[in-house]
Amino acid sequence: MKQHHILVVLFAAVLALIVAPVLDSGVALAKKTRHVEQVDKPARSAKHAATSSARGSTTKHATSVQKTKTVKSRKAARPARASRHARRAAAEAENEEGNLGSCTVPTLTVKSAILYDVNTGEVLYEQNPDFQIPPASLTKILTLYIIFDAIRQGRLRPWDVVEVSERASTQGGSNMHLRHGESVKVTDMIKGIAIASANDACMAMADYLENGNVDAFVALMNATAKRLGMTNSVFFNPNGLPAEGQLTTARDMLKLATAYLDQFPKALTIHSMQYFTHNNRQRHNANSLLGHYAGADGLKTGFVCASGYNIIATAKRGDTRLIAVVLGSRNPIVRERETVKLLNKGFRIAETRRAAPPAAQPTLQQVPQPTAPSAAPQVSQPAGQPMSLPMAATQVPAQGQVRQ
């Protein structure tokens, strides 16, 4: 038994001598591995960062190269674009100053338009000038023509006092807010019509001039229009409020405006006013050219849903006066833009002609005077007041063409 115990002790001692070096080596190896991992971890992180940085640098470089190529391609394209702009500008300059025979105005985004040089009696541009369209408040120019004509004939005086009828006080749309039974001077009525586009003032003046018979005033309107050569126009009320069958054309409105300014030029002192106040209420002139377009001093705007936005515009620069009629614009901004486009073209033509030597001035081909009554409409003016019509003795240009 004692011998058996000694053998067990010896076996354990031998086993300890064998296992101890192995365990020491394992512990040492584990420590070394942990040490290596701790040492290598920052290196691997740095290496990963360096790799990412390199990749980022490569991407950035590629992007930079791509941008550089794009910029270079844009720069390369600029001369071609600039060249196109230069050619276009040169062509426009040639049209406006050199080659007067082929100058054109682009088609306007309106239903109808016409441009007229008062000094030379020439139609410079037209687009669907005989297209019939509701006149809206342009009708008021005819009403004003009749009022000024009555003053000229002595049937009406500027200081006369008009009593506002009930019918006049109930007119809708733009107005002076006239009250039934109110007494208003003719001069204030005229200002209200010309500046505030007052529908109530038009009806009040029609009642006053024809003793309450508005139908008689409308008949006088149509008779006057016929006398002025407005062959494609019909009127049913004195203010232009919507009425079935009430129509006009740009050409007819040009005839009316030409006669109106020829016979009553002082009316522009009123039409050029931007504000009018009555009964402590201020009204603003809807003609946006006033105060914004050099030389603009009239004449009248209008709007009804059936027609769109209309205008008879006139402007004077130096000795040149132009009249532009624009009908059927889709909004006031388009109306102003297209009217300015027409007036600008007209003044450029006039300036170019003044600058050109006499030998270089283009001559308009004249149309022989019509022998048949149905040729070109003529205006029958009162005795002692001759006035030439724009369409009577000049050739009508082709659609969208400018008369040079």
Side-chain angles (χ1 to χ4, degrees):
M1 186 70 179
K2 187 176 180 181
Q3 292 178 350
H4 178 70
H5 180 71
I6 294 171
L7 288 174
V8 171
V9 171
L10 289 174
F11 178 77
V14 172
L15 184 63
L17 292 172
I18 296 172
V19 172
V22 175
L23 291 176
D24 291 340
S25 298
V27 172
L29 180 61
K31 289 182 178 179
K32 183 177 182 181
T33 302
R34 283 198 300 271
H35 176 72
V36 169
E37 287 180 352
Q38 290 175 357
V39 171
D40 288 349
K41 188 174 182 180
R44 285 198 304 270
S45 300
K47 183 178 181 181
H48 178 71
T51 303
S52 300
S53 177
R55 290 176 181 174
S57 299
T58 303
T59 304
K60 290 180 179 179
H61 177 68
T63 304
S64 177
V65 170
Q66 183 63 31
K67 288 183 178 180
T68 304
K69 290 181 179 179
T70 303
V71 170
K72 288 182 178 179
S73 63
R74 287 178 180 174
K75 288 182 178 179
R78 281 177 187 168
R81 192 185 314 173
S83 177
R84 288 197 299 271
H85 290 327
R87 287 197 300 269
R88 187 182 306 162
E92 291 176 355
E94 182 180 358
N95 278 337
E96 292 172 3
E97 300 174 7
N99 187 7
L100 296 178
S102 62
C103 188
T104 61
V105 173
T107 301
L108 305 176
T109 56
V110 297
K111 295 177 182 177
S112 178
I114 195 166
L115 176 66
Y116 176 63
D117 188 328
V118 175
N119 302 78
T120 63
E122 303 169 46
V123 175
L124 302 177
Y125 174 86
E126 60 180 23
Q127 176 179 315
N128 300 326
D130 299 311
F131 175 77
Q132 286 188 308
I133 190 170
S137 287
L138 302 190
T139 302
K140 295 179 174 74
I141 297 298
L142 182 55
T143 297
L144 288 169
Y145 183 99
I146 292 173
I147 292 172
F148 282 121
D149 192 46
I151 293 174
R152 180 172 59 184
Q153 295 175 14
R155 297 191 298 111
L156 183 68
R157 297 172 299 178
W159 54 86
D160 284 346
V161 176
V162 177
E163 185 174 334
V164 179
S165 65
E166 182 178 1
R167 172 169 46 198
S169 65
T170 58
Q171 294 296 296
S174 56
N175 54 64
M176 293 170 56
H177 285 279
L178 296 175
R179 297 187 292 266
H180 179 212
E182 179 183 358
S183 296
V184 182
K185 288 183 179 180
V186 169
T187 52
D188 288 336
M189 291 290 193
I190 291 173
K191 289 178 181 179
I193 296 171
I195 303 169
S197 195
N199 295 320
D200 49 2
C202 289
M203 190 61 71
M205 289 304 302
D207 278 332
Y208 184 77
L209 284 172
E210 296 296 335
N211 299 314
N213 188 350
V214 175
D215 291 339
F217 186 86
V218 172
L220 177 59
M221 291 174 67
N222 285 301
T224 303
K226 184 177 180 180
R227 177 167 59 85
L228 294 177
M230 301 171 66
T231 55
N232 292 313
S233 297
V234 181
F235 301 93
F236 288 98
N237 58 51
N239 49 30
L241 284 172
E244 186 176 356
Q246 185 163 252
L247 298 169
T248 191
T249 67
R251 194 187 303 277
D252 280 359
M253 279 293 144
L254 174 60
K255 294 177 182 181
L256 172 61
T258 304
Y260 182 70
L261 295 181
D262 179 75
Q263 297 183 38
F264 311 112
K266 292 184 179 179
L268 286 176
T269 59
I270 298 174
H271 287 280
S272 59
M273 296 179 181
Q274 297 185 52
Y275 300 96
F276 171 70
T277 301
H278 180 74
N279 286 339
N280 295 322
R281 293 191 178 186
Q282 188 180 73
R283 296 289 178 271
H284 183 261
N285 197 326
N287 185 352
S288 58
L289 298 179
L290 298 177
H292 296 92
Y293 185 82
D297 52 4
L299 192 57
K300 190 72 190 73
T301 62
F303 168 79
V304 291
C305 293
S307 67
Y309 291 84
N310 305 334
I311 188 171
I312 302 173
T314 183
K316 184 177 182 181
R317 294 180 182 176
D319 296 329
T320 301
R321 175 168 291 282
L322 301 176
I323 299 175
V325 181
V326 174
L327 305 180
S329 305
R330 66 177 179 269
N331 59 53
I333 297 175
V334 172
R335 177 177 63 189
E336 178 182 345
R337 182 192 69 204
E338 302 299 76
T339 305
V340 167
K341 187 187 298 182
L342 275 182
L343 293 174
N344 283 344
K345 180 61 65 174
F347 282 121
R348 286 171 187 156
I349 292 172
E351 183 179 356
T352 301
R353 287 180 172 176
R354 284 196 304 269
Q361 297 244 0
T363 58
L364 287 171
Q365 180 182 356
Q366 297 293 325
V367 174
Q369 291 293 332
T371 55
S374 59
Q378 300 285 339
V379 171
S380 174
Q381 292 296 320
Q385 296 196 27
M387 182 185 68
S388 60
L389 253 194
M391 281 59 69
T394 58
Q395 183 182 20
V396 176
Q399 181 73 16
Q401 296 292 320
V402 172
R403 289 294 299 274
Q404 296 295 329

